Amino acid sequence: DGGITQSPKYLFRKEGQNVTLSCEQNLNHDAMYWYRQDPGQGLRLIYYSQIVNDFQKGDIAEGYSVSREKKESFPLTVTSAQKNPTAFYLCASSVGTQNPTEAFFGQGTRLTVV
Amino acid sequence: GENVEQHPSTLSVQEGDSAVIKCTYSDSASNYFPWYKQELGKGPQLIIDIRSNVGEKKDQRIAVTLNKTAKHFSLHITETQPEDSAVYFCAAISQGGSEKLVFGKGTKLTVNP
């Protein structure tokens, strides 16, 4: 089945530790996105990538890093510099930039700092 | 950059009534406007979308209208059912340049039996 997969579903991190969230898609999509969701805040864009080996900062990139070494993978690292990392993280992908189309979302990763 | 405002933040209706959620956007270059439904603990799923060359689109009980001049678009759900209860997000994106999908803050819809 084609789709976008995030793992793990739940993640616990100690303060001061980096943690990496996985996002994989087999839809052959060029564009991939990471969003953070907090109650009452909607979906805020962290980073996005329009093509392999290229990515741009979104609205809340501080304390996060990404890589796009393969078309199907767009991992997000939450670093110790992120002041308030506890949130629900969503990864999405879409066909590309030529003609905007539907973005498909993963099921999300809930990160909790303990 | 693009800014999307969404209202209301919460909406409660009786089963069978209609529900309307409204969004405004700031970037006149935006040309694609999707609506997503998010159930608790899950990722958002597209329910309907509209492009800037169309004024209205329907899919069974769901419809979206777009007013480019006023830069606002709306989601209409008729004959609401309890399973329509969820959080709904509008979004906007412009073609070309940096493709950033910008979301509104969401509307929590509750359909009471």
Side-chain angles (χ1 to χ4, degrees):
Chain A
D1 288 336
I4 181 164
T5 303
Q6 289 186 244
S7 61
K9 190 173 176 65
Y10 299 96
L11 190 56
F12 296 88
R13 187 194 93 175
K14 292 183 179 180
E15 280 193 35
Q17 288 182 337
N18 293 355
V19 64
T20 297
L21 282 59
S22 171
C23 179
E24 303 276 333
Q25 54 96 1
N26 60 3
L27 300 167
N28 200 32
H29 285 171
D30 284 318
M32 297 187 75
Y33 314 82
W34 273 106
Y35 291 89
R36 170 179 171 142
Q37 188 172 27
D38 297 284
Q41 292 291 324
L43 300 171
R44 293 186 291 169
L45 185 63
I46 305 172
Y47 269 97
Y48 63 109
S49 169
Q50 298 172 330
I51 198 167
V52 175
N53 293 321
D54 187 42
F55 49 83
Q56 291 80 39
K57 292 182 178 180
D59 301 317
I60 56 166
E62 185 175 351
Y64 300 98
S65 66
V66 293
S67 63
R68 189 81 188 277
E69 297 177 0
K70 297 187 295 183
K71 186 175 186 178
E72 58 270 23
S73 178
F74 192 41
L76 173 74
T77 296
V78 184
T79 75
S80 56
Q82 169 51 233
K83 297 285 189 276
N84 184 22
T86 295
F88 189 51
Y89 291 87
L90 286 160
C91 180
S93 70
S94 66
V95 170
T97 60
Q98 293 305 311
N99 190 18
T101 58
E102 175 183 3
F104 291 83
F105 282 84
Q107 291 301 294
T109 293
R110 187 166 296 281
L111 173 64
T112 303
V113 174
V114 297
Chain B
E2 176 66 275
N3 182 48
V4 178
E5 300 280 342
Q6 182 173 348
H7 299 280
S9 57
T10 60
L11 180 60
S12 182
V13 300
Q14 289 300 122
E15 183 176 358
D17 288 350
S18 295
V20 180
I21 303 171
K22 298 182 179 181
C23 289
T24 60
Y25 61 98
S26 60
D27 187 355
S28 56
S30 290
N31 61 352
Y32 177 65
F33 307 92
W35 285 90
Y36 287 84
K37 176 183 181 181
Q38 186 179 29
E39 298 178 345
L40 196 62
K42 296 184 178 180
Q45 284 195 303
L46 182 79
I47 54 171
I48 195 167
D49 56 12
I50 192 168
R51 299 187 184 275
S52 57
N53 58 349
V54 175
E56 184 176 4
K57 183 176 179 180
K58 288 183 181 180
D59 183 4
Q60 298 182 339
R61 297 185 296 110
I62 296 173
V64 57
T65 58
L66 172 65
N67 183 327
K68 282 187 63 179
T69 304
K71 290 191 282 189
H72 67 70
F73 56 113
S74 300
L75 177 71
H76 304 254
I77 305 175
T78 59
E79 300 172 21
T80 54
Q81 301 167 3
E83 51 265 40
D84 293 330
S85 296
V87 179
Y88 291 82
F89 291 96
C90 62
I93 191 169
S94 58
Q95 181 175 348
S98 63
E99 180 174 301
K100 269 193 347 179
L101 189 58
V102 179
F103 285 83
K105 291 192 174 183
T107 297
K108 184 177 180 181
L109 173 65
T110 303
V111 180
N112 301 301

